[in-house]
Amino acid sequence: MGELAQLKTAAAALEAQRGNLGDEVVDAGLRPLLERIAALESPMPEERKQVTTLFADLVGFTTMSEQMDAEDVRAVLDSYFALWTASIEHHGGTVEKFIGDAVMAVFGMKQASEDDPERAILAALDMVTSLADLNEILATEQRPPLAMRVGINTGEVVVGAVGDRRQEEWVAVGDPINVAARLQTAAPVNGILIAHSTFRHVRGVFDVQEVPPLELKGKAAATRAYVVERAKPRAFRVPARGVEGVETHMVGRAAELKRMEDAFLNAADGEPGMVTIVGDAGMGKSRLFEEFAAWLDLLPDRIAYIKGRAGQGTVQDAFSLIRDTIAFRFDILDTDPPSVVRDKLSSGVGDSTAELIDVEAGGKPFALIGHLLGFDLGSDALPADIEAQATHELGTAAFIDWVRGLAAVDPVIFVLDDIHWADDSSLDLAARLVTEPDLSRVLVVCGARPALYTRRPGWQAGERRHHRIDLAPLSNRDSRSLVAEILQMVPDVPEDLRDTIVAAAEGNPFHVEELVKMLIEDGVIVKGSDVWEVAQDRLATVRVPATLVGVLQARIDALTPDQKSVLHRAAVIGR
Ligand SMILES: Nc1ncnc2c1ncn2[C@@H]1O[C@H](COP(=O)(O)OP(=O)(O)OP(=O)(O)O)[C@@H](O)[C@H]1O
Ligand SMILES: [Mg+2]
């Protein structure tokens, strides 16, 4: 019996005793029961959410199962489902249901985050790999191998809870789910087919092949789709933004750029410094870093430029941000075997590889640095009797020494982006780089969303060498210039169109771009090879694009339930 039925039985039993027990006792007993019943019966509010849906099925399983007895079929299916469930859950997805030999999973249903599409694809890649592993076992049993197909789509669905155990049972409904299912049927054997709506969130993160647009049942327009080949090595994943085919000049931000340039000139002159650029998602932190790097490129001096980015979910991974910078600088790939990692690190750090262990010093600097940062160097890279505490101290000292060596030759710049996601040990080590004695020509530049200060309220507060620069929303004037930049191919941008974009974007350059992309996708702006035209008659169809929804929603999901309900009320009242 479910909780609700039990409660009702209990309430009825109590009610039946009214004659014996009296009103006071019965009412007092009933009150908590009735409250709980009311809570369970009141419908959970439905929410519109942007989610990423994944469908996967087995190819050739029906034929195979015809030659097996029912129990074996069940056993084979169960092992696939167990592996797939593990891949999906490992990447933060929820298995919605199994349908025959297929599985449906949703990413972002309970808690949306910006990288739902990326995680769904990583899960699918894992699933394909684990299928290959299972096939090896099947082969030993003289069974034919199985193949699979995956379809992934991102879009807004209605999410609600059903049943008594409302927290547990969530369902998502909506057209984007059907599209994911159809993509799965259209996917090549052992292939992962993703819709453009998913691809647009992961540009630059995976190697993909575009396939000819698909005519999907029930869809008027053809659906653009891509086959995912592999994830780019982590250090080379640079999520691409902006409107395809357009290069913009940076608008505004001259004062902020100037402060970074000054900080560099001071560092080059022997006054180390640290700058943290703070701004909401899409406000232009990474763009400012690109402009800064372009300015540095034009300087006559040589500079040791070292760059890294923290990723969502790396907070617990000690030194992962610094590891990222070193991997990028020395071209170390995730797939490199330990011997290659050793070679790249030792020649990068400037150690001779001739002898691995320098017993007196407790380890070679490159091995200590590699060990500290969590590179896999093989088990014999450090003396066996060295203690964890010692490796930590020696590793940190070796890293700082290496930077000191670099700074003796050229000014050194560390650019650390998205540090709101960075692990504490990397942040602490980065901060030490500007306070160490005899280490002067260093500048550390960080980019962070304001969330950094929830985690580390005192980040560099009161540090004489630290400068915090807040990125305010663009002024209306700058926003209008940005629209003009992006729409440089439109000969005469209608003023009302421009003002609509400026008003909706609220000074956020990323939102400006996303709104323009949406207008292009909706056919309001038509890209031509020489000029782009504006279809005035379609202007009325303006909607908020999925990506904007995703970004905003991810931020809303990060709020506490209290803040959320205030926001929901505010949204109803309007502003
Ligand atoms: N001042 C600007 N002029 C022109 N384009 C800009 C400007 N600032 C940002 N953009 C563009 O807006 C988009 C978003 O900017 P960017 O990626 O730098 O934001 P961000 O602050 O790093 O966001 P996130 O916190 O999500 O990393 C990019 O395509 C960028 O090129
Ligand atoms: Mg950024």
Side-chain angles (χ1 to χ4, degrees):
M1 190 165 29
E3 187 190 356
L4 190 59
Q6 275 179 0
L7 287 166
K8 283 188 171 167
T9 311
L14 203 56
E15 189 61 63
Q17 296 294 316
R18 198 174 277 276
N20 294 334
L21 300 173
D23 285 347
E24 206 175 321
V25 174
V26 171
D27 287 342
L30 274 179
R31 199 173 307 119
L33 295 180
L34 294 179
E35 276 171 13
R36 181 75 186 136
I37 290 171
L40 286 179
E41 280 184 336
S42 71
M44 271 282 285
E46 285 182 344
E47 252 186 290
R48 298 188 69 79
K49 279 195 143 193
Q50 179 173 286
V51 300
T52 297
T53 311
L54 173 158
F55 273 90
D57 79 343
L58 286 172
V59 181
F61 187 71
T62 325
T63 333
M64 177 174 145
S65 59
E66 280 161 4
Q67 302 147 18
M68 291 160 59
D69 63 54
E71 256 174 52
D72 285 352
V73 170
R74 198 62 260 160
V76 171
L77 265 189
D78 282 350
S79 42
Y80 283 115
F81 286 163
L83 279 180
W84 287 1
T85 304
S87 304
I88 288 162
E89 289 179 351
H90 175 70
H91 290 282
T94 314
V95 173
E96 262 283 284
K97 57 184 161 203
F98 297 108
I99 315 144
D101 59 11
V103 62
M104 170 189 167
V106 180
F107 292 75
M109 181 130 83
K110 288 178 192 160
Q111 171 96 35
S113 79
E114 286 163 71
D115 61 352
D116 290 333
E118 179 177 336
R119 287 184 295 109
I121 296 172
L122 289 173
L125 287 166
D126 268 7
M127 290 162 79
V128 173
T129 314
S130 57
L131 180 81
D133 294 346
L134 263 191
N135 275 338
E136 285 180 16
I137 300 175
L138 282 184
T140 64
E141 297 168 357
Q142 266 80 53
R143 295 221 165 99
L146 286 173
M148 66 187 287
R149 286 178 304 204
V150 187
I152 297 177
N153 184 36
T154 302
E156 216 184 48
V157 301
V158 175
V159 172
V162 285
D164 289 357
R165 294 160 54 228
R166 49 204 58 224
Q167 304 295 1
E168 318 299 312
E169 300 189 26
W170 292 64
V171 284
V173 276
D175 187 50
I177 294 175
N178 307 332
V179 172
R182 301 213 175 101
L183 285 169
Q184 175 234 283
T185 7
V189 169
N190 281 330
I192 301 164
L193 192 61
I194 64 171
H196 182 71
S197 58
T198 303
F199 174 66
R200 59 183 300 184
H201 298 274
V202 297
R203 271 200 290 149
V205 180
F206 296 93
D207 291 328
V208 302
Q209 282 292 334
E210 183 158 12
V211 297
L214 301 166
E215 306 288 343
L216 297 184
K217 210 170 67 189
K219 292 252 132 202
T223 302
R224 285 175 72 187
Y226 309 76
V227 171
V228 177
E229 299 188 323
R230 67 190 74 81
K232 290 182 192 290
R234 220 196 100 62
F236 298 91
R237 282 182 216 165
V238 182
R241 285 181 163 175
V243 178
E244 239 176 303
V246 184
E247 275 191 38
T248 58
H249 291 102
M250 184 168 72
V251 305
R253 309 295 189 216
E256 290 86 352
L257 188 56
K258 177 77 171 47
R259 286 184 64 186
M260 293 169 74
E261 294 169 2
D262 285 346
F264 168 77
L265 294 173
N266 288 336
D269 200 40
E271 245 184 88
M274 188 165 201
V275 174
T276 304
I277 308 279
V278 185
D280 283 331
M283 214 46 114
K285 302 177 291 292
S286 304
R287 174 64 185 255
L288 199 53
F289 292 166
E290 283 166 34
E291 302 288 330
F292 179 52
W295 176 82
L296 291 167
D297 271 346
L298 295 179
L299 294 178
D301 338 17
R302 284 193 356 173
I303 297 157
Y305 182 84
I306 303 170
K307 189 174 116 182
R309 230 179 87 225
Q312 216 165 348
T314 59
V315 151
Q316 302 297 344
D317 185 0
F319 292 109
S320 52
L321 174 56
I322 301 291
R323 181 168 67 242
D324 195 52
T325 64
I326 297 303
F328 190 74
R329 181 151 180 97
F330 299 148
D331 205 15
I332 299 172
L333 308 181
D334 312 346
T335 47
D336 283 343
S339 60
V340 175
V341 178
R342 281 183 190 187
D343 282 348
K344 289 180 176 175
L345 254 183
S346 60
S347 53
V349 170
D351 275 356
S352 85
T353 37
E355 54 186 299
L356 261 175
I357 301 171
D358 176 350
V359 184
E360 256 170 64
K364 302 269 285 183
F366 89 87
L368 289 166
I369 293 173
H371 183 77
L372 178 78
L373 302 185
F375 285 108
D376 181 4
L377 303 171
S379 54
D380 59 339
L382 283 179
D385 56 356
I386 189 166
E387 283 175 19
Q389 179 65 21
T391 52
H392 187 276
E393 276 162 26
L394 292 170
T396 311
F399 181 81
I400 291 171
D401 258 357
W402 170 65
V403 178
R404 188 177 284 123
L406 288 181
V409 185
D410 300 311
V412 179
I413 301 185
F414 276 85
V415 175
L416 306 175
D417 206 356
D418 294 333
I419 64 162
H420 47 282
W421 286 320
D423 61 280
D424 282 325
S425 25
S426 291
L427 291 180
D428 294 338
L429 184 52
R432 270 186 70 176
L433 292 178
V434 289
T435 50
E436 277 297 306
D438 318 320
L439 179 53
S440 55
R441 296 200 298 162
V442 176
L443 174 67
V444 180
V445 181
C446 304
R449 295 185 187 166
L452 170 70
Y453 293 93
T454 327
R455 250 187 66 217
R456 305 201 31 153
W459 172 245
Q460 294 293 296
E463 282 296 332
R464 187 172 53 85
R465 291 180 170 148
H466 178 258
H467 307 276
R468 169 174 170 167
I469 303 179
D470 283 274
L471 286 190
L474 295 179
S475 66
N476 281 347
R477 207 157 57 85
D478 285 339
S479 294
R480 284 198 297 271
S481 310
L482 182 55
V483 175
E485 277 288 330
I486 299 173
L487 295 182
Q488 50 192 263
M489 301 277 278
V490 180
D492 234 336
V493 180
E495 261 176 49
D496 51 350
L497 175 66
R498 185 193 65 190
D499 293 345
T500 307
I501 299 172
V502 168
E506 300 181 316
N508 186 310
F510 178 60
H511 293 179
V512 172
E513 291 177 350
E514 289 302 309
L515 286 156
V516 170
K517 284 196 214 171
M518 172 269 289
L519 292 167
I520 293 169
E521 275 167 19
D522 280 3
V524 178
I525 296 169
V526 185
K527 278 168 135 184
S529 50
D530 296 331
V531 289
W532 297 5
E533 318 246 5
V534 175
Q536 277 285 6
D537 53 320
R538 300 196 66 157
L539 260 180
T541 62
V542 171
R543 66 184 166 99
V544 180
T547 323
L548 206 56
V549 172
V551 169
L552 298 176
Q553 182 184 303
R555 226 180 292 157
I556 289 177
D557 274 353
L559 300 175
T560 64
D562 265 9
Q563 292 170 313
K564 240 189 201 178
S565 76
V566 168
L567 242 178
H568 278 302
R569 251 178 289 136
V572 175
I573 297 163
R575 41 177 186 168

Short mmCIF file of all heavy atoms in Angstrom, two decimals, residues 26 45 74 86 186 191 196 277 297 386 432 509 564:
data_model
loop_
_atom_site.label_atom_id
_atom_site.label_comp_id
_atom_site.label_asym_id
_atom_site.label_seq_id
_atom_site.Cartn_x
_atom_site.Cartn_y
_atom_site.Cartn_z
N VAL A 26 -9.83 13.12 18.48
CA VAL A 26 -9.83 12.73 17.07
C VAL A 26 -9.27 13.86 16.20
O VAL A 26 -8.40 13.64 15.34
CB VAL A 26 -11.24 12.32 16.60
CG1 VAL A 26 -11.27 12.12 15.09
CG2 VAL A 26 -11.66 11.05 17.30
N PRO A 45 4.03 21.44 -9.00
CA PRO A 45 4.00 22.34 -10.15
C PRO A 45 4.83 21.75 -11.30
O PRO A 45 5.88 21.18 -11.07
CB PRO A 45 4.64 23.62 -9.61
CG PRO A 45 5.43 23.18 -8.42
CD PRO A 45 4.75 21.99 -7.86
N ARG A 74 17.56 -12.37 -21.31
CA ARG A 74 17.41 -11.48 -20.16
C ARG A 74 18.79 -11.15 -19.56
O ARG A 74 19.12 -10.01 -19.27
CB ARG A 74 16.54 -12.23 -19.14
CG ARG A 74 15.87 -11.47 -18.03
CD ARG A 74 14.89 -10.45 -18.44
NE ARG A 74 15.49 -9.11 -18.38
CZ ARG A 74 15.02 -8.07 -19.04
NH1 ARG A 74 13.98 -8.19 -19.84
NH2 ARG A 74 15.60 -6.90 -18.94
N ALA A 86 25.41 2.64 -15.58
CA ALA A 86 26.61 3.16 -14.90
C ALA A 86 27.18 4.35 -15.67
O ALA A 86 27.52 5.38 -15.08
CB ALA A 86 27.64 2.05 -14.74
N ALA A 186 17.91 7.00 -36.81
CA ALA A 186 18.64 7.43 -38.01
C ALA A 186 20.16 7.32 -37.84
O ALA A 186 20.91 7.49 -38.79
CB ALA A 186 18.26 8.87 -38.34
N GLY A 191 27.10 4.49 -33.94
CA GLY A 191 27.31 5.93 -34.05
C GLY A 191 26.44 6.71 -33.07
O GLY A 191 25.43 6.21 -32.58
N HIS A 196 21.38 19.61 -34.01
CA HIS A 196 22.07 20.90 -33.97
C HIS A 196 21.86 21.59 -32.63
O HIS A 196 22.77 22.23 -32.10
CB HIS A 196 21.53 21.79 -35.11
CG HIS A 196 22.22 23.11 -35.18
ND1 HIS A 196 23.52 23.25 -35.60
CD2 HIS A 196 21.81 24.36 -34.84
CE1 HIS A 196 23.87 24.52 -35.53
NE2 HIS A 196 22.85 25.21 -35.07
N ILE A 277 39.25 38.96 -12.84
CA ILE A 277 38.16 39.58 -13.58
C ILE A 277 36.88 38.86 -13.16
O ILE A 277 36.80 37.64 -13.29
CB ILE A 277 38.34 39.39 -15.10
CG1 ILE A 277 39.73 39.83 -15.54
CG2 ILE A 277 37.23 40.08 -15.88
CD1 ILE A 277 39.90 41.28 -15.75
N ASP A 297 50.82 39.48 -27.83
CA ASP A 297 51.45 38.97 -29.05
C ASP A 297 52.20 40.05 -29.81
O ASP A 297 53.19 39.79 -30.48
CB ASP A 297 50.38 38.39 -29.99
CG ASP A 297 50.14 36.92 -29.70
OD1 ASP A 297 50.96 36.33 -28.97
OD2 ASP A 297 49.13 36.38 -30.17
N ILE A 386 59.54 7.74 -0.08
CA ILE A 386 59.24 9.15 0.14
C ILE A 386 57.79 9.28 0.64
O ILE A 386 56.90 8.59 0.18
CB ILE A 386 59.49 9.92 -1.18
CG1 ILE A 386 59.42 11.43 -0.97
CG2 ILE A 386 58.52 9.50 -2.25
CD1 ILE A 386 60.00 12.17 -2.17
N ARG A 432 50.31 31.81 -4.34
CA ARG A 432 51.69 31.83 -3.83
C ARG A 432 52.68 32.37 -4.84
O ARG A 432 53.72 32.92 -4.48
CB ARG A 432 52.11 30.41 -3.44
CG ARG A 432 51.79 30.10 -2.00
CD ARG A 432 52.33 28.76 -1.59
NE ARG A 432 53.78 28.73 -1.51
CZ ARG A 432 54.46 27.65 -1.09
NH1 ARG A 432 53.80 26.56 -0.75
NH2 ARG A 432 55.77 27.67 -1.03
N PRO A 509 26.90 40.47 -23.49
CA PRO A 509 27.28 40.25 -24.89
C PRO A 509 26.92 38.85 -25.40
O PRO A 509 26.54 38.69 -26.57
CB PRO A 509 28.81 40.41 -24.90
CG PRO A 509 29.19 40.96 -23.58
CD PRO A 509 28.04 40.82 -22.64
N LYS A 564 14.30 30.62 -5.16
CA LYS A 564 13.61 30.21 -6.37
C LYS A 564 12.15 30.67 -6.34
O LYS A 564 11.64 31.20 -7.31
CB LYS A 564 13.64 28.69 -6.47
CG LYS A 564 14.32 28.17 -7.70
CD LYS A 564 14.06 26.70 -7.74
CE LYS A 564 15.06 26.02 -8.61
NZ LYS A 564 14.90 24.59 -8.65
#
